[in-house]
Amino acid sequence: MKFFIDTANLDQIREAQDLGVLDGVTTNPSLMAKEGITGRENILKHYVDICNIVDGDVSAEVIATDFEGIIKEGKELAALHEQIVVKVPMIKEGVKAIKYFADNGIKTNCTLVFSAGQALLAAKAGATYVSPFIGRLDDISTDGLNLIAEIRLIYDNYGFDTQILAASVRHTMHVLECAKIGSDVMTGPLSSIEGLLKHPLTDIGLEKFLADYRKGN
Ligand code: E4P
């Protein structure tokens, strides 16, 4: 299972990269705005800065919503760095663009996916990744993890290559449950990854080992 971090914060990306378990980064316009990254030039530069920190795929989202605009913007993003994956919304023009990008060797991440039908369409169009937003479904009393399981079943039925990228992950239990279901990737905050480290018996055990060592040394 690949671990992506869902942020545009360079310090957090560096911290996750230093841990040695990071496989990529996802961003979106809201995350860029949160870091105060505005203006086309600054945004493009920020994507390159992220690519220079991590080894894996970095999702950069298009703003255009018409086919021609998505293609133009997607090509510009893809040309920035070989690690860039063009993030395209699950809309009709987006599906057409994903098909175009797939035919032209440009990797895509189909975002804002909230149903199995949308995920099926993204895979048919040739998306590299599909991003079901599990946290936002949970927020409206709908089981986000169940959507991951549905998509896993459908993709396995037909051997689709599209990777399931569980997005809008909010906490460590989301990460664990996605791993059990067989999500290919998860993207979440640094805290959702670091939460995997924690167990009180580890802390108590280590304290005892060190205390016993100190008695004889
Ligand atoms: C996906 O790539 C999105 O950036 C993200 O996971 C959305 O998460 P949120 O619901 O926490 O905003």
Side-chain angles (χ1 to χ4, degrees):
M1 186 193 197
K2 291 184 202 166
F3 281 6
F4 287 2
I5 187 169
D6 195 31
T7 184
N9 182 291
L10 298 183
D11 289 337
Q12 288 197 8
I13 293 169
R14 272 189 212 100
E15 204 175 328
Q17 175 70 17
D18 286 350
L19 193 57
V21 298
L22 191 68
D23 299 296
V25 176
T26 51
T27 62
N28 64 42
S30 305
L31 292 171
M32 294 295 266
K34 191 175 164 194
E35 298 306 319
I37 313 297
T38 55
R40 199 64 192 154
E41 288 306 309
N42 293 332
I43 289 171
L44 297 182
K45 182 188 171 300
H46 203 73
Y47 287 138
V48 175
D49 290 345
I50 294 173
C51 289
N52 288 333
I53 296 173
V54 298
D55 300 321
D57 286 346
V58 174
S59 288
E61 189 159 341
V62 297
I63 303 301
T65 53
D66 62 297
F67 178 76
E68 297 300 337
I70 295 173
I71 300 302
K72 184 171 176 289
E73 209 183 327
K75 282 181 175 174
E76 185 184 15
L77 291 170
L80 284 176
H81 199 284
E82 60 185 8
Q83 286 165 243
I84 291 285
V85 173
V86 180
K87 205 172 182 189
V88 180
M90 170 37 79
I91 54 176
K92 197 171 183 179
E93 299 294 288
V95 172
K96 289 186 209 170
I98 288 168
K99 170 72 177 138
Y100 175 91
F101 288 135
D103 290 344
N104 287 275
I106 292 176
K107 291 205 266 186
T108 54
N109 174 358
C110 183
T111 190
L112 290 167
V113 166
F114 293 94
S115 77
Q118 290 178 325
L120 177 57
L121 206 50
K124 287 286 292 176
T128 313
Y129 297 101
V130 65
S131 287
F133 279 33
I134 61 176
R136 292 192 194 185
L137 282 170
D138 288 356
D139 288 345
I140 57 158
S141 308
T142 302
D143 188 352
L145 289 165
N146 185 52
L147 175 58
I148 302 294
E150 278 188 311
I151 301 171
R152 182 73 284 155
L153 175 69
I154 292 169
Y155 283 11
D156 287 351
N157 278 348
Y158 298 98
F160 283 118
D161 290 333
T162 301
Q163 296 178 54
I164 303 172
L165 197 175
S168 188
V169 159
R170 300 277 166 78
H171 47 72
T172 302
M173 279 309 289
H174 271 156
V175 179
L176 271 181
E177 292 303 322
C178 283
K180 286 189 212 166
I181 294 165
S183 189
D184 300 291
V185 193
M186 79 82 201
T187 191
L190 183 59
S191 59
S192 69
I193 298 173
E194 289 188 332
L196 295 166
L197 274 170
K198 294 174 192 161
H199 199 289
L201 291 180
T202 304
D203 299 339
I204 293 166
L206 182 61
E207 203 176 312
K208 175 91 170 67
F209 285 157
L210 294 179
D212 287 345
Y213 173 81
R214 278 193 293 267
K215 279 181 206 161
N217 292 279

